[in-house]
Amino acid sequence: MSSPVLDVRDLAFAYPDGHQALFGVDLHVHRGERVALLGPNGAGKTTLVLHLNGILTAGRGSVSVSGLQVAKEHLQEIRRRVGIVFQDPDDQLFLGTVRQDVAFGPANLGLKGAALEQRVMEALDRVGMADFADRPPHHLSYGQRRRVAVATVLAMEPEVLVLDEPSSNLDPASRRELAEILRGLDVTVLMVTHDLPYALELCPRSVVLSEGGVVADRPTFDVLTDEALMAAHRLELPWGFDPRRIDSLPR
Ligand SMILES: Nc1ncnc2c1ncn2[C@@H]1O[C@H](COP(=O)(O)OP(=O)(O)OP(=O)(O)O)[C@@H](O)[C@H]1O
Ligand SMILES: [Mg+2]
């Protein structure tokens, strides 16, 4: 098999207050895979995600992206390769207009003028937010801000797209449209989610993180139909949802 795009080895991390959030996590994701990262509140999912582009740095173990170690001296290149849509869109949007926020990353890569404008508008168009380009992000609804946050990352054309709870606060049509965007992209995707039907729809493989460790790494269908595993890690299917009654699963 090819070497993984995302290669997390024996990653352990404690926050400065001493709280240990990760205890030796291994995760390997290959090019073009879409993997869901599941697990209860406080499992360490966001902490893991923040290691993938060097916002947090490994206490022990290592993280590399296409063979390049996530370390201070490679941060610029790592951040070009890995785009993260944060759990809270307000951590991603900080400029005066939607257009400026989406232009920020590509402008840092050296894009300017018409090429930059085109990159920005394409990304906004993809998430259905082109008409909001000149609005201040803080005047948008939460779901609209999340869509803009996705656009800021799409505009970077990353190799690996990491999304932390992308479907939360999206209306059903936006949730479906985001799924279509993700399916249409030729990138490697790691998606943190509590939305198990969304994981099943989009990600053939799921990794379950619980209390800072990986407790399962299997086809999503197998995870969602393993009642003992689900119960042990506070995973619950929405009422009435039965994975066995879905007739076309992603591959
Ligand atoms: N800045 C911080 N300082 C200290 N502890 C923290 C900090 N951020 C998170 N933690 C702790 O680390 C653990 C993992 O948190 P994390 O945010 O990674 O969980 P999560 O799996 O993303 O949860 P959720 O599903 O609620 O988003 C939790 O116990 C949390 O309280
Ligand atoms: Mg989280």
Side-chain angles (χ1 to χ4, degrees), residues 181-225:
I181 293 168
L182 295 178
R183 259 195 300 266
L185 293 172
D186 186 22
V187 296
T188 307
V189 173
L190 181 68
M191 182 173 91
V192 175
T193 190
H194 294 296
D195 182 342
L196 300 179
Y198 212 50
L200 186 65
E201 182 186 345
L202 280 167
C203 303
R205 174 182 159 204
S206 284
V207 172
V208 180
L209 197 67
S210 190
E211 296 179 3
V214 172
V215 294
D217 183 347
R218 281 154 46 190
T220 303
F221 180 85
D222 292 1
V223 169
L224 300 196
T225 52

Coordinates of all heavy atoms in Angstrom, one line a residue, residues 181-225:
I181 N -20.6 18.5 -2.0 CA -19.3 19.2 -2.2 C -18.2 18.2 -1.8 O -17.3 18.0 -2.6 CB -19.2 20.5 -1.3 CG1 -20.2 21.5 -1.8 CG2 -17.8 21.0 -1.4 CD1 -20.3 22.7 -0.8
L182 N -18.4 17.6 -0.7 CA -17.3 16.7 -0.2 C -17.1 15.5 -1.1 O -16.0 15.1 -1.4 CB -17.6 16.3 1.3 CG -17.6 17.4 2.3 CD1 -17.9 16.8 3.7 CD2 -16.2 18.1 2.4
R183 N -18.2 15.0 -1.6 CA -18.1 13.8 -2.5 C -17.5 14.2 -3.8 O -16.8 13.4 -4.4 CB -19.5 13.2 -2.7 CG -19.7 12.0 -1.9 CD -20.9 11.2 -2.5 NE -22.1 12.0 -2.4 CZ -23.0 12.0 -1.4 NH1 -22.8 11.2 -0.4 NH2 -24.0 12.8 -1.5
G184 N -17.7 15.5 -4.2 CA -17.2 16.0 -5.5 C -15.7 16.3 -5.5 O -15.1 16.6 -6.5
L185 N -15.1 16.4 -4.3 CA -13.7 16.9 -4.2 C -12.8 15.7 -4.3 O -13.1 14.6 -3.7 CB -13.5 17.6 -2.8 CG -14.2 18.9 -2.6 CD1 -13.9 19.3 -1.2 CD2 -13.7 19.9 -3.6
D186 N -11.7 15.9 -4.9 CA -10.7 14.9 -5.1 C -9.6 15.1 -4.0 O -8.5 15.3 -4.3 CB -10.1 14.9 -6.5 CG -9.2 13.8 -6.7 OD1 -9.3 12.8 -6.1 OD2 -8.3 13.9 -7.6
V187 N -10.0 15.0 -2.7 CA -9.1 15.2 -1.6 C -9.3 14.1 -0.6 O -10.3 13.4 -0.6 CB -9.2 16.6 -1.0 CG1 -8.9 17.7 -1.9 CG2 -10.6 16.8 -0.4
T188 N -8.4 14.1 0.3 CA -8.5 13.2 1.4 C -9.2 13.9 2.5 O -9.0 15.1 2.8 CB -7.0 12.8 1.9 OG1 -6.3 12.4 0.8 CG2 -7.1 11.8 3.0
V189 N -10.2 13.2 3.1 CA -11.1 13.9 4.1 C -11.1 13.2 5.4 O -11.2 11.9 5.5 CB -12.5 14.0 3.6 CG1 -13.5 14.5 4.6 CG2 -12.6 14.8 2.3
L190 N -10.9 13.9 6.5 CA -11.1 13.4 7.8 C -12.2 14.3 8.4 O -12.0 15.5 8.5 CB -9.8 13.5 8.7 CG -9.9 13.0 10.1 CD1 -10.1 11.5 10.1 CD2 -8.7 13.3 10.9
M191 N -13.3 13.6 8.8 CA -14.4 14.4 9.3 C -14.8 14.0 10.7 O -15.2 12.8 10.9 CB -15.6 14.1 8.3 CG -16.8 14.9 8.6 SD -18.0 14.6 7.3 CE -18.9 13.2 7.9
V192 N -14.7 14.9 11.6 CA -15.2 14.6 13.0 C -16.7 14.9 13.0 O -17.1 15.9 12.5 CB -14.5 15.7 14.0 CG1 -15.1 15.5 15.4 CG2 -13.0 15.5 14.0
T193 N -17.4 13.9 13.5 CA -18.9 14.2 13.5 C -19.6 13.4 14.6 O -19.2 12.2 15.0 CB -19.5 13.9 12.1 OG1 -20.8 14.4 12.2 CG2 -19.5 12.4 11.8
H194 N -20.7 13.9 15.1 CA -21.6 13.2 16.0 C -22.8 12.8 15.1 O -23.7 12.1 15.6 CB -22.1 14.1 17.1 CG -21.1 14.5 18.1 ND1 -20.4 13.6 18.9 CD2 -20.5 15.7 18.4 CE1 -19.5 14.2 19.6 NE2 -19.6 15.5 19.4
D195 N -22.8 13.2 13.9 CA -23.9 12.9 13.0 C -23.6 11.6 12.3 O -23.0 11.5 11.2 CB -24.0 14.1 12.0 CG -25.1 14.0 11.0 OD1 -25.7 12.9 10.8 OD2 -25.4 15.0 10.4
L196 N -24.1 10.5 12.9 CA -23.7 9.1 12.4 C -24.2 8.8 11.1 O -23.5 8.2 10.2 CB -24.0 8.1 13.5 CG -23.3 8.3 14.9 CD1 -23.8 7.3 15.9 CD2 -21.8 8.4 14.7
P197 N -25.5 9.2 10.7 CA -25.9 8.9 9.4 C -25.1 9.7 8.3 O -24.8 9.1 7.2 CB -27.4 9.5 9.3 CG -27.8 9.4 10.8 CD -26.6 9.7 11.6
Y198 N -24.6 10.8 8.7 CA -23.7 11.6 7.8 C -22.4 10.8 7.6 O -21.8 10.8 6.5 CB -23.4 13.0 8.4 CG -23.2 14.1 7.4 CD1 -24.1 14.3 6.4 CD2 -22.1 15.0 7.6 CE1 -23.9 15.4 5.5 CE2 -21.9 16.0 6.7 CZ -22.8 16.3 5.7 OH -22.7 17.3 4.8
A199 N -21.8 10.3 8.7 CA -20.6 9.5 8.6 C -20.8 8.3 7.7 O -20.0 8.0 6.8 CB -20.2 9.0 10.0
L200 N -22.0 7.6 7.8 CA -22.3 6.5 7.0 C -22.4 6.8 5.6 O -22.0 6.1 4.7 CB -23.6 5.8 7.5 CG -23.9 4.5 6.9 CD1 -22.8 3.4 7.2 CD2 -25.3 4.0 7.3
E201 N -23.0 8.0 5.3 CA -23.3 8.4 4.0 C -22.0 8.8 3.3 O -21.8 8.6 2.1 CB -24.2 9.6 4.0 CG -24.6 10.2 2.7 CD -25.4 11.5 2.9 OE1 -25.9 11.8 4.0 OE2 -25.5 12.2 1.9
L202 N -21.0 9.4 4.0 CA -19.9 10.0 3.4 C -18.6 9.2 3.5 O -17.7 9.3 2.7 CB -19.6 11.4 3.9 CG -20.5 12.5 3.3 CD1 -20.5 13.7 4.2 CD2 -20.1 12.7 1.9
C203 N -18.5 8.5 4.6 CA -17.2 7.9 5.0 C -17.2 6.4 5.1 O -17.9 5.8 6.0 CB -16.7 8.5 6.3 SG -16.6 10.2 6.3
P204 N -16.5 5.7 4.1 CA -16.5 4.2 4.2 C -15.9 3.7 5.5 O -16.2 2.6 6.0 CB -15.7 3.8 3.0 CG -15.8 5.0 2.1 CD -15.9 6.2 2.9
R205 N -15.0 4.5 6.1 CA -14.3 4.0 7.3 C -14.5 5.0 8.4 O -14.5 6.2 8.2 CB -12.8 4.0 6.9 CG -11.8 3.6 8.0 CD -10.4 3.7 7.4 NE -9.5 3.9 8.5 CZ -8.2 4.4 8.4 NH1 -7.8 4.8 7.2 NH2 -7.5 4.5 9.5
S206 N -14.6 4.4 9.6 CA -14.7 5.2 10.8 C -13.7 4.8 11.9 O -13.4 3.7 12.1 CB -16.1 5.1 11.4 OG -17.0 5.8 10.7
V207 N -13.1 5.9 12.5 CA -12.2 5.7 13.7 C -13.0 6.2 14.9 O -13.5 7.3 14.9 CB -10.9 6.4 13.4 CG1 -10.0 6.4 14.7 CG2 -10.2 5.8 12.2
V208 N -13.0 5.4 15.9 CA -13.7 5.8 17.2 C -12.6 6.2 18.2 O -11.8 5.3 18.5 CB -14.6 4.7 17.7 CG1 -15.3 5.3 19.0 CG2 -15.7 4.3 16.7
L209 N -12.7 7.4 18.7 CA -11.8 7.9 19.7 C -12.6 7.9 21.0 O -13.7 8.4 21.0 CB -11.3 9.2 19.3 CG -10.0 9.8 20.0 CD1 -8.8 8.9 19.6 CD2 -9.8 11.2 19.6
S210 N -12.0 7.4 22.1 CA -12.7 7.5 23.4 C -11.7 7.6 24.5 O -10.7 6.9 24.5 CB -13.6 6.2 23.6 OG -14.4 6.4 24.7
E211 N -11.9 8.6 25.3 CA -10.9 8.9 26.4 C -9.5 8.9 25.9 O -8.6 8.4 26.5 CB -11.1 7.8 27.5 CG -12.5 7.9 28.2 CD -12.7 6.9 29.3 OE1 -11.8 6.2 29.6 OE2 -13.8 6.9 29.8
G212 N -9.3 9.6 24.8 CA -8.0 9.9 24.3 C -7.3 8.7 23.6 O -6.1 8.8 23.3
G213 N -8.0 7.7 23.3 CA -7.4 6.5 22.6 C -8.3 6.0 21.5 O -9.6 6.2 21.5
V214 N -7.7 5.4 20.5 CA -8.5 4.8 19.4 C -9.1 3.5 19.9 O -8.3 2.6 20.3 CB -7.7 4.6 18.1 CG1 -8.4 3.8 17.1 CG2 -7.2 5.9 17.6
V215 N -10.4 3.3 19.9 CA -11.0 2.0 20.3 C -11.6 1.2 19.2 O -11.9 0.1 19.4 CB -12.1 2.3 21.4 CG1 -11.4 2.8 22.7 CG2 -13.2 3.2 20.9
A216 N -11.7 1.8 18.0 CA -12.1 1.0 16.8 C -11.7 1.8 15.6 O -11.6 3.0 15.5 CB -13.7 0.9 16.8
D217 N -11.4 1.0 14.5 CA -11.0 1.6 13.2 C -11.5 0.5 12.2 O -10.8 -0.4 11.9 CB -9.5 1.8 13.2 CG -9.0 2.4 11.9 OD1 -9.8 2.5 10.9 OD2 -7.8 2.8 11.8
R218 N -12.7 0.8 11.7 CA -13.4 -0.3 10.9 C -14.3 0.4 9.9 O -14.6 1.6 10.0 CB -14.2 -1.2 11.9 CG -13.3 -2.2 12.6 CD -13.9 -2.7 13.9 NE -15.2 -3.0 13.9 CZ -15.9 -3.3 15.1 NH1 -15.3 -3.2 16.2 NH2 -17.2 -3.6 15.1
P219 N -14.8 -0.4 9.0 CA -15.9 0.2 8.1 C -17.0 0.8 8.9 O -17.4 0.3 10.0 CB -16.4 -1.1 7.3 CG -15.2 -2.0 7.3 CD -14.6 -1.8 8.7
T220 N -17.4 1.9 8.5 CA -18.5 2.7 9.2 C -19.7 1.8 9.5 O -20.2 1.8 10.6 CB -18.9 4.0 8.5 OG1 -17.7 4.7 8.2 CG2 -19.8 4.8 9.2
F221 N -20.1 1.0 8.6 CA -21.3 0.2 8.8 C -21.0 -0.8 9.9 O -21.9 -1.0 10.8 CB -21.6 -0.6 7.5 CG -22.7 -1.5 7.6 CD1 -24.0 -1.0 7.4 CD2 -22.6 -2.9 8.0 CE1 -25.1 -1.9 7.5 CE2 -23.7 -3.7 8.1 CZ -25.0 -3.2 7.9
D222 N -19.8 -1.3 10.0 CA -19.5 -2.3 11.1 C -19.6 -1.6 12.5 O -20.0 -2.2 13.5 CB -18.1 -2.9 10.9 CG -18.1 -3.8 9.7 OD1 -19.1 -3.9 9.0 OD2 -17.0 -4.4 9.4
V223 N -19.0 -0.4 12.5 CA -19.1 0.4 13.8 C -20.5 0.7 14.2 O -20.9 0.4 15.3 CB -18.3 1.7 13.6 CG1 -18.5 2.6 14.8 CG2 -16.8 1.4 13.4
L224 N -21.3 1.2 13.3 CA -22.6 1.6 13.6 C -23.6 0.4 14.0 O -24.6 0.6 14.6 CB -23.3 2.4 12.5 CG -22.5 3.7 12.1 CD1 -23.4 4.6 11.3 CD2 -22.0 4.5 13.3
T225 N -23.2 -0.8 13.5 CA -24.0 -1.9 13.8 C -23.5 -2.8 15.0 O -24.0 -3.8 15.3 CB -24.2 -2.8 12.6 OG1 -23.0 -3.1 12.0 CG2 -25.1 -2.1 11.5

